[in-house]
């Protein structure tokens, strides 16, 4: 029973020292900034500019909130860490909810500040002509798979040489972030094939987390490190 309570993390709801509510605000702000700046770059139509905008937005958000919440800003990352027990279930589900709300807020602000002629390019994800929903699902699955696999490796607490690059792991705006896709879809009212932008990334993230934890195996940790309970990521140490 004690292990179940620890896995659920229900105690964090009343424990002020857990920092849960600060972390939820951080995830909200992180995804708000991601959708505002990342989706705002779509109007350029330049793939390089869009990729850089999303990458820099995520890197900036993680630098700003990583020490508070771990800087997930992506349900695929949250589910990937939650399935291997590195994030309590309740915290993880609340993260996803606040990520979605933040993404909606970011896209809403972007639309409010954009001219009507720009509304066709506010970051709504859609399948390219000729790509089937099943193919789209597979693409989203593997995009999130490699993303979460890189996150697990870069943020492994027993691998200190990667601390400096952890905020810069590749995170693009090409789907693979259900909250980012959801925010744009809600604000623009476009949900065509939207299920695949949730199911694909989340399953890909969970698969990557499980493979990293139980197949590849994380870096060898000291006894003190392996016995440590989950904590939010700090600037000098991120736990996966």
């Amino acid at each position: 029973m004690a292990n179940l309570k620890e896995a659920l993390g229900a105690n964090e709801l009343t424990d002020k020292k857990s920092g849960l509510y600060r972390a939820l605000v951080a995830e909200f702000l992180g995804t708000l900034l991601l959708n505002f700046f990342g989706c705002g770059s779509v109007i350029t139509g330049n793939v390089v500019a869009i990729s850089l905008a999303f990458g820099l937005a995520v890197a900036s958000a993680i630098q700003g909130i990583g020490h508070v919440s771990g800087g997930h800003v992506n349900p695929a990352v949250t589910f990937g860490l939650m399935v291997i027990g590195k994030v309590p279930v309740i915290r993880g589900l609340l993260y996803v909810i606040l990520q979605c709300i933040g993404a909606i807020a970011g896209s809403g602000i972007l639309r409010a500040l954009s001219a009507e002629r720009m509304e066709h390019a506010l970051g709504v994800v859609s399948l390219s002509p000729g790509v089937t929903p099943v193919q789209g699902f597979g693409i989203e699955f593997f995009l999130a798979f490699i993303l979460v696999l890189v996150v697990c490796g870069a943020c492994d607490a027993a691998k200190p040489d990667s601390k400096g690059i952890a905020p810069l792991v590749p995170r693009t705006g090409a789907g693979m972030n259900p909250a980012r896709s959801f925010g744009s879809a809600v604000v623009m009212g476009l949900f065509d094939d939207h299920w695949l932008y949730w199911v694909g990334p989340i399953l890909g993230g969970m698969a990557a987390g499980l493979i990293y934890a139980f197949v590849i195996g994380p870096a060898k940790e000291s006894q003190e490190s392996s016995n440590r309970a989950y904590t939010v990521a700090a600037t000098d140490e991120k736990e996966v």
Side-chain angles (χ1 to χ4, degrees), residues 125-127 131-134 190-198:
V125 289
S126 61
L127 295 173
V131 177
T132 68
V134 173
L190 298 172
F191 291 92
D192 294 347
D193 300 308
H194 189 69
W195 65 270
L196 67 88
Y197 296 105
W198 277 91

Side-chain angles (χ1 to χ4, degrees), residues 112-181:
L113 299 179
S114 299
E116 188 174 342
R117 63 181 177 80
M118 297 179 181
E119 290 190 355
H120 70 285
L122 294 184
V124 177
V125 289
S126 61
L127 295 173
S128 298
V131 177
T132 68
V134 173
Q135 290 172 325
F137 165 82
I139 292 169
E140 288 294 314
F141 178 93
F142 283 105
L143 283 174
F145 180 91
I146 187 61
L147 165 65
V148 176
L149 193 66
V150 171
V151 168
C152 288
C155 301
D156 193 330
K159 187 167 162 278
D161 56 306
S162 65
K163 291 174 184 174
I165 66 167
L168 299 177
V169 293
R171 313 221 181 165
T172 75
M176 74 176 181
N177 184 331
R180 166 261 181 278
S181 302

Side-chain angles (χ1 to χ4, degrees), residues 1-239:
M1 182 62 69
N3 289 336
L4 177 60
K5 289 183 178 179
E6 183 178 340
L8 290 175
N11 61 304
E12 291 191 328
L13 295 172
T14 55
D15 184 2
K16 294 182 178 179
K17 293 182 179 180
S18 70
L20 174 61
Y21 297 103
R22 291 175 62 242
L24 294 177
V25 173
E27 289 295 310
F28 168 84
L29 289 175
T31 47
L32 185 156
L33 294 173
L34 170 63
N35 273 47
F36 180 76
F37 288 105
C39 295
S41 69
V42 175
I43 190 63
T44 65
N46 186 304
V47 175
V48 175
I50 295 170
S51 299
L52 285 173
F54 272 103
L56 290 173
V58 172
S60 299
I62 294 175
Q63 288 285 11
I65 69 170
H67 62 292
V68 179
S69 67
H72 295 192
V73 295
N74 187 338
V77 173
T78 301
F79 272 97
L81 299 182
M82 189 166 60
V83 76
I84 58 175
K86 295 303 182 181
V87 177
V89 173
I90 292 177
R91 175 185 284 262
L93 295 178
L94 290 174
Y95 269 24
V96 172
I97 292 172
L98 269 295
Q99 288 161 0
C100 290
I101 295 174
I104 293 171
S107 290
I109 294 171
L110 175 62
R111 184 175 186 182
L113 299 179
S114 299
E116 188 174 342
R117 63 181 177 80
M118 297 179 181
E119 290 190 355
H120 70 285
L122 294 184
V124 177
V125 289
S126 61
L127 295 173
S128 298
V131 177
T132 68
V134 173
Q135 290 172 325
F137 165 82
I139 292 169
E140 288 294 314
F141 178 93
F142 283 105
L143 283 174
F145 180 91
I146 187 61
L147 165 65
V148 176
L149 193 66
V150 171
V151 168
C152 288
C155 301
D156 193 330
K159 187 167 162 278
D161 56 306
S162 65
K163 291 174 184 174
I165 66 167
L168 299 177
V169 293
R171 313 221 181 165
T172 75
M176 74 176 181
N177 184 331
R180 166 261 181 278
S181 302
F182 183 68
S184 298
V186 168
V187 170
M188 299 305 296
L190 298 172
F191 291 92
D192 294 347
D193 300 308
H194 189 69
W195 65 270
L196 67 88
Y197 296 105
W198 277 91
V199 180
I202 287 176
L203 291 182
M206 293 171 69
L210 291 170
I211 287 175
Y212 186 84
F214 300 110
V215 180
I216 297 175
K220 186 177 180 180
E221 300 184 54
S222 64
Q223 186 64 28
E224 178 183 355
S225 175
S226 63
N227 289 335
R228 196 166 41 196
Y230 168 80
T231 58
V232 295
T235 52
D236 63 342
E237 182 177 23
K238 291 184 180 289
E239 186 158 330

